[in-house]
């Protein structure tokens, strides 16, 4: 018969095994904060490309139609996205090494598959919106589909990701009624919300 | 008073088997190599314990090929889930009684 201490260890090991195997714990809160900072910087540059000299809080009646500006925005958005993914990947690799787990495991595979379904669907849908000239609700649509992806992926990682997803969807729905303020809502959703939730996660799990 | 040690599951008293069951209950299914990584045990060690759990019908095994490499997937059965639950309850009772 084992010592009681051993039974306590059994109980503790059940807990760690369940969490470690089902959750992608290598996700770093810091990557959320940095992604938010990149998004805000991108939004400021985008403001100077499109709205300037009109105040960002003012309603913009004419949506961007010039191909020159559209290309600039596309390059800018891709740069923000790539920087965020690269930072997230780098910080996750670092955290995985710290915990002594592999980054590419059954959990991260299922996480990636789960989030890519709403992301790809949303991406194609937004392309269709742009193709048909509905520029006004492209930004709200990206917030909504991103939120859906986060909720889909949240079962494989920290609970905060679920709340972030719900916030993004709510913001996207509000934004869809204020089509002229796309950039402002976009900066709130991808910038401010990422920084807030990233900071919460960093405080809770990374320190 | 009833002895709470009697309720402990003899098969699950081994820590590696308990950990295997924990992973299989938290996840829909898990493959051999991922389990090996998660538990940090050797091939032979893990295989022995998987056989023991399979014999008790706590888990089911399905073999397939992914990219021409063999892949073995495990799932917890209803019987395995019940045994796991009972074992945890017993563990908690044992620990609680000793603390009093």
């Amino acid at each position: 018969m084992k010592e009681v201490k051993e039974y306590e260890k059994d109980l503790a090991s059940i807990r760690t095994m369940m969490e470690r195997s089902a959750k992608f714990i290598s996700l770093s809160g810091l990557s959320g904060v940095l992604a938010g900072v990149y998004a805000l910087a991108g939004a400021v540059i985008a403001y100077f490309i499109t709205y300037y000299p009109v105040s960002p809080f003012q309603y913009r009646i004419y949506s961007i139609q010039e191909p020159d500006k559209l290309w600039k925005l596309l390059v800018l958005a891709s740069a923000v996205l790539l920087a965020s993914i690269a930072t997230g990947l780098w910080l996750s690799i670092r955290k995985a090494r710290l915990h002594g787990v592999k980054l590419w495991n059954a959990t991260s595979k299922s996480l990636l598959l789960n989030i890519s379904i709403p992301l790809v669907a949303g991406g194609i849908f937004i392309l269709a919106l742009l193709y048909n000239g509905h520029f006004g609700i492209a930004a709200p649509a990206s917030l909504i589909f991103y939120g859906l992806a986060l909720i889909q992926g949240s079962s494989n990682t920290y609970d905060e990701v679920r709340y972030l997803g719900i916030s993004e969807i709510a913001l996207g729905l509000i934004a869809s009624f204020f089509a002229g303020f796309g950039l402002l809502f976009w900066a709130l959703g991808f910038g401010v919300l990422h920084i807030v939730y990233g900071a919460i996660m960093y405080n809770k799990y990374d320190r | 008073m009833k002895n709470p040690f009697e309720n402990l599951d003899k098969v699950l008293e081994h820590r590696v088997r308990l950990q295997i069951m924990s992973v299989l209950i938290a996840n829909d299914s898990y493959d051999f190599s991922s389990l090996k990584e998660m538990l940090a045990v050797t091939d032979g060690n893990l295989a022995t314990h998987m056989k023991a759990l399979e014999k008790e019908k706590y888990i089911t095994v399905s073999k397939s090929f992914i990219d021409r490499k063999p892949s073995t997937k495990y799932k917890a059965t209803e019987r395995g889930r019940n045994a796991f639950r009972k074992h945890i309850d017993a563990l908690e009772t044992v620990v609680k009684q000793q603390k009093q």
Side-chain angles (χ1 to χ4, degrees):
Chain A
M1 204 171 282
K2 293 199 275 189
E3 293 268 328
V4 175
K5 264 263 158 50
E6 289 298 304
Y7 290 122
E8 279 181 334
K9 267 195 203 159
D10 275 357
L11 281 170
S13 87
I14 292 171
R15 204 190 157 84
T16 43
M17 273 304 139
M18 286 183 136
E19 277 193 352
R20 260 194 171 195
S21 65
K23 292 192 184 234
F24 180 63
I25 52 163
S26 303
L27 187 69
S28 166
L30 207 57
S31 52
V33 175
L34 286 174
V37 171
Y38 302 154
L40 281 184
V44 170
I45 300 171
Y47 162 69
F48 282 105
I49 296 177
T50 55
Y51 290 70
Y52 189 77
V54 178
S55 155
F57 301 103
Q58 228 154 42
Y59 188 78
R60 189 170 46 84
I61 304 155
Y62 305 104
S63 61
I64 324 117
Q65 305 285 1
E66 305 101 280
D68 173 46
K69 278 186 181 175
L70 266 179
W71 275 113
K72 273 188 194 163
L73 286 178
L74 202 67
V75 170
L76 179 69
S78 313
V80 169
L81 184 69
L82 279 180
S84 305
I85 292 173
T87 309
L89 211 58
W90 172 61
L91 287 171
S92 296
I93 291 170
R94 226 181 52 162
K95 200 173 166 189
R97 204 173 290 157
L98 209 70
H99 284 282
V101 292
K102 281 209 173 158
L103 186 69
W104 192 236
N105 55 22
T107 316
S108 55
K109 272 178 214 168
S110 99
L111 176 69
L112 204 66
L113 182 73
N114 280 340
I115 62 169
S116 62
I117 295 168
L119 279 187
V120 170
I124 295 170
F125 181 68
I126 288 165
L127 283 180
L129 284 178
L130 294 177
Y131 178 74
N132 288 311
H134 300 298
F135 296 98
I137 49 170
S142 70
L143 286 170
I144 293 170
F145 279 102
Y146 180 60
L148 290 172
L150 288 178
I151 290 177
Q152 193 70 260
S154 64
S155 60
N156 289 118
T157 185
Y158 300 120
D159 288 342
E160 279 73 13
V161 173
R162 186 183 187 79
Y163 303 129
L164 175 61
I166 293 168
S167 313
E168 298 281 6
I169 292 174
L171 195 68
L173 288 175
I174 297 168
S176 56
F177 288 98
F178 299 92
F181 296 98
L183 186 61
L184 192 66
F185 280 104
W186 203 87
L188 272 177
F190 288 102
V192 178
L193 283 183
H194 270 151
I195 294 175
V196 169
Y197 280 94
I200 293 172
M201 284 171 62
Y202 180 76
N203 269 325
K204 209 164 157 187
Y205 307 108
D206 292 348
R207 288 209 302 190
Chain B
M1 194 161 153
K2 225 178 118 197
N3 183 2
F5 288 90
E6 278 173 14
N7 290 331
L8 288 168
D9 191 309
K10 287 280 160 296
V11 183
L12 296 179
E13 277 212 76
H14 197 288
R15 177 138 339 129
V16 174
R17 284 178 214 154
L18 188 63
Q19 289 179 332
I20 294 168
M21 286 307 287
S22 309
V23 173
L24 291 182
I25 276 159
N27 297 273
D28 196 40
S29 71
Y30 231 72
D31 65 278
F32 190 87
S33 51
S34 302
L35 260 176
K36 200 181 82 176
E37 237 166 60
M38 188 64 62
L39 272 65
V41 289
T42 61
D43 268 45
N45 195 338
L46 184 59
T48 318
H49 290 305
M50 295 320 271
K51 281 259 158 59
L53 288 170
E54 206 189 328
K55 209 180 122 211
E56 290 293 323
K57 293 198 171 66
Y58 284 1
I59 59 170
T60 54
V61 188
S62 64
K63 290 187 179 169
S64 63
F65 283 85
I66 296 171
D67 293 335
R68 281 190 229 158
K69 275 186 216 145
S71 156
T72 313
K73 278 203 162 183
Y74 298 95
K75 271 176 186 270
T77 60
E78 204 46 50
R79 189 180 144 84
R81 284 176 193 275
N82 285 332
F84 183 77
R85 207 172 301 130
K86 267 191 203 149
H87 184 70
I88 298 184
D89 286 345
L91 277 178
E92 278 172 345
T93 323
V94 168
V95 171
K96 228 180 261 166
Q97 276 199 2
Q98 295 298 313
K99 285 215 166 138
Q100 274 167 1

